[in-house]
Amino acid sequence: METVITPGASAPSASAEDPLYRKVTLRLVPFLVLCYVVAYLDRVNVGFAKLQMLQDLNFSDTVYGLGAGIFFLGYFLFEVPSNIILHRVGARRWIARIMITWGIISAAMIFVTTPGMFYLLRFLLGLAEAGFFPGIILYLTYWFPHARRGRITTFFMTAVPLSGLIGGPISGWIMHTFHGDHGMAGWQWLFILEGIPSVIIGLIVLVYLDDRISQAKWLTESERATLARNIEAEEKVKEDPPIREAMTKPRVWAMASIYFSFVMGLYGVGFWMPTLIRNTGVQDPLTIGLLTAVPNLFAVIGMILISRSSDREHERRWHLAIPSLIGAVGLVFSAMYSGNTWIAIVALTVANVGICTVLPLFWSLPTAVLGGTAAAAGIALINSVSNLAGFISPYLVGWLKDTTGSTNSGIYVLAACLCVGALVALAQPAKLVNR
């Protein structure tokens, strides 16, 4: 039976602590969002590079899809050990290591000339980045109690659409402006110029982040005591089974299946949106980049509004299921009207809002149940297994495009996956989900 967390009677009221948590939020969350923006951009900018790269290197869509997705095999293999290492050595050093190595590997993509080199560097990029996202989710549990973590996680995960909102136009501009400079293609400049910020920010992590509340010199002693007391009270009632037990709990695998379905939609759209827009008749990379900003702008707004509704109503199941179903409808309409640019953009916007909304709301589930090392292992397991969808999704769409001559069949499969995720979310016990 899952444990319900009850605050102690002597704890200060939530409203009295709001200024303190606002201070912590302003210190940590904007910086973590910045880290995730450059992380996600380095992960999916290959979708923009594809607009020139495939023709230059004579790659098929299947080769692209496999290369885009093979990132997640490396991610899968190293994610659980990476998150356990972070829990033991501290977030500051480990997150810095992750960011610096992935920035270097991402920039090295300029040397790709064969499918084998493409696959190898994408695989190594996954190894380098493994543990970053679940590490941040774990890191937030060190600072924020569950009642506040849903909204904080949402703010952090706005980095997904923000990376598209900011990175789409920038990626299009780089490829449009620098193509041919110093004998390099636009897609090569893209990898260089978007890999450098990861290395720089990784170095900043070493001096900016604190591993734990007790190390935060920017807090007063009484503020540290209040934050620590809230976290300690919550940790006492969480489950912290041995790692093997945590990784075999049926509830953990049910959650992994939900997130797997959502991630199928996320990376199907993330890796293929520039191509889907080009298929409507738009050819200029800069214009494509500007158009990709539209679905991502509305996704940021939708994520914030729907997460507030979920926290206010203390309801999770329907706040997961309905946006997921809406996302599926958007994908279907984007395929049905793939020849009309503006209808397709509206449909992709609806799809992106639905898909991006469910991602942060989902993470309120496992972090409410697991604590300690079990949380590190359980969160990493859910994220790594689910991110295998990141391998399957782009490869499946690419293979179906080469097989059928159209991306539509792949988009319909992604829509079906979102429907499955919605149904499994609704099947979860209300006492667990609705907190």
Side-chain angles (χ1 to χ4, degrees), residues 271-314:
F271 283 119
W272 285 93
M273 187 182 293
T275 299
L276 295 174
I277 294 174
R278 186 176 64 178
N279 289 347
T280 68
V282 181
Q283 296 300 317
D284 179 55
L286 178 57
T287 303
I288 293 172
L290 292 172
L291 288 175
T292 61
V294 176
N296 289 298
L297 172 62
F298 282 92
V300 172
I301 298 170
M303 288 173 74
I304 294 172
L305 293 179
I306 295 174
S307 71
R308 286 180 176 176
S309 171
S310 179
D311 283 352
R312 183 175 59 250
E313 301 296 330
H314 299 286

Side-chain angles (χ1 to χ4, degrees), residues 2 10 24 91 109 125 128 139 189 195 203 268 298 303 307 314 316 332 344 348 363 372:
E2 308 296 345
S10 61
V24 177
M109 290 286 292
L125 186 65
Y139 183 65
W189 280 109
L203 294 172
F298 282 92
M303 288 173 74
S307 71
H314 299 286
R316 303 298 187 198
V332 169
L348 285 171
W363 286 108

Side-chain angles (χ1 to χ4, degrees), residues 20-42:
L20 172 57
Y21 278 103
R22 190 175 301 115
K23 179 179 180 179
V24 177
T25 299
L26 290 175
R27 168 75 184 192
L28 298 180
V29 176
F31 182 70
L32 295 176
V33 167
L34 175 63
C35 292
Y36 196 29
V37 165
V38 297
Y40 196 80
L41 190 57
D42 280 348

